[in-house]
Structure formats: C-alpha cells, structure tokens
Amino acid sequence: MNTKHRRTGLRVAALLATLTVGAAAQLVATAPAAAVSGLFRTTHLATATNSQSPKFRAAECPGDTRVIGGGAQVTGPAAGSIRLSALQPVSGPGQTDRYEVWADEPPGGVSGNWALEGYAICAPAASVPGYNIVPGNSTYSSSPTRSTAAGCSGSQRVIGTGASITGGGFGNVGLQMSRASGPLDIARAAAAEDGAYSGNWRVTAYAICANPVGAAAEGSVQTGVASANHTCSSSTEEVHSVGAATGPGASGQTFLSSLYPNAGLSTVHLTLTGVPTDGLAIQAICA
C-alpha cells in the first residue's frame, strides 16, 4: 500500500483527471485556530438487513441545531457491492435539519443481504453564523460520467459537503465523489453509470457554507485498497464533514459504499465497491 498524508499540497492528478475535476486536485488547506463548538453526531439506526433496494435513512439534528455534515454506513454480507446514491444535507424553514442518505444494489441485484445506517453532524445554530446550503447541478442527460461543483459566496467557506443523484434508475448510477476543495471555497461531486445505461440523470453537489470558522481540509491518497480511514491531525480537532473520491477499477467503475464519521468525531471511514486503478482519496474537514 502506498499512502501519502499532508496538510498542504496534496495532489492526485491521475485520480482527479479521471473524475473530470481538472486542476483542482488539492485536498488540504491551512486553517486558523477557531472551530465550531458543540458538535455532536446523531444516528438514524440501521434498516433491516435484507436484500430490499433502495434503502433510505435520515439522521436528524434536534432543536435549534444545524446539519453541517453526515454520512452513511452499509453493513452485511453484500455490503461490498452496494453503492451510495445520496449524501444530502437538508435545512430550511419549517423543517428539521437532517442528513439524508440513499443506497442501492447494482443492476441485477445481489444475492446477499445488507443494511444502511445514516448519520448527521450537528452544531448549535449560534456556532455557525451565516449558515446556508448551496446546491450545484450538472446538466441532466445520459452520460457515462458527470461532475459538478457548488460554491460559497463572498468570504464564506465550506464547512460541510454532500452529493446526490437525480434520475438514473436505482442502481444504474452511483456516487464517486463528495468532497470540498482544499481552500474550502467549493464542494465537488461526481457520479458514473454502472455499465451501459440509456436514461437521463444528473449529479448535485451541496456546499454547506458559513462565515469562516477555522476549519481545514485534511486527507490522504491511497492506492491498491478499497477502504481507508483518516483521523484529524490534532487530538483537539473534530470532524466537521467527510469527503472522498474514487474512479474506474480493473473491471469497471468503483463507487462510494460507506462514508461516515465515527461517534467521537475524530475519524472518517471510507469503503468503496472495488479497488480503483488510480487510487482513492479520503477527506476530513477538521477544526
């Protein structure tokens, strides 16, 4: 296994070119000393373990709190074949903040059973001044791969991210990327078809924006593996949001299968549906 860890200048030219994000290969940035206070993780407990597809979870943020991140964990004998199709933050007047996650079996289904659990990272509303969620959509058409980005306005910075697929039919399209840029000014998303698919679809990136809070994007690039972990570089830091990217493997596209923060908000866990040829990228927004 070849692993690289850095807080500045981390580049995965081959991987990110594969995912059509061009020169924006930097995954990390330098941070000032502040942080969001009062973070905690909530859980929408796992679905039944069976072969029903798709599966959905929505972890909620209680009271006067805001969702700033989240994730999904797939478990069970068939977990390695399941792909995520939504990692979506939801916030707005008259509704409870939440992080919605969807997962699907591949075309033709799987023989084993699996379950889906969802998570939200929540923060007191007063801790995230200027909070808002900005979506960015790709075009809606039939294409083997799609990517897009969503940006924060003015001096605001990305504190969390998400991605979702619209259309595509269950299992025919899967997420390959949901992460922030190194400078935390935009969120990126990418997805791909699993084999030939003639229907139309699009991918949406979600930038969870706020006034600068001192967060930094950390990460690593790893080759020859289908899973990875990243722990915030300081024991006093907490994970504010998770991120990852993958691409084609030896026998076809690989997809995000599990991407979530641990209960203590110190570490991000990533599992893919296969080993990508150009490596995987894992990211944590830490402060």
Side-chain angles (χ1 to χ4, degrees), residues 200-287:
N200 294 329
W201 60 280
R202 73 182 182 195
V203 64
T204 301
Y206 300 92
I208 305 174
C209 303
N211 297 345
V213 296
E218 299 183 9
S220 68
V221 179
Q222 304 188 24
T223 59
V225 295
S227 63
N229 302 314
H230 182 82
T231 298
C232 290
S233 59
S234 170
S235 61
T236 63
E237 292 180 324
E238 292 181 302
V239 173
H240 290 47
S241 188
V242 305
T246 184
S251 58
Q253 299 287 353
T254 69
F255 302 97
L256 306 183
S257 183
S258 288
L259 178 61
Y260 64 98
N262 69 341
L265 296 181
S266 62
T267 301
V268 175
H269 302 283
L270 167 66
T271 303
L272 306 177
T273 59
V275 178
T277 303
D278 291 326
L280 61 80
I282 184 171
Q283 183 186 71
I285 297 179
C286 301

Side-chain angles (χ1 to χ4, degrees), residues 8 27 38-39 41 68 70 86-87 94 104 124 135 149 180-181 216 229 236 244 262 279 287:
T8 57
L27 294 182
L39 293 186
R41 192 190 80 168
I68 66 168
L87 294 163
D104 309 287
S181 64
N229 302 314
T236 63
N262 69 341

Side-chain angles (χ1 to χ4, degrees), residues 6 28 47 50 65 79 93 104 114 124 126 159 162 180 200 244-245 259 261 263:
R6 281 186 272 178
V28 292
T47 64
N50 55 34
T65 62
D104 309 287
W114 57 283
I159 195 172
N200 294 329
L259 178 61

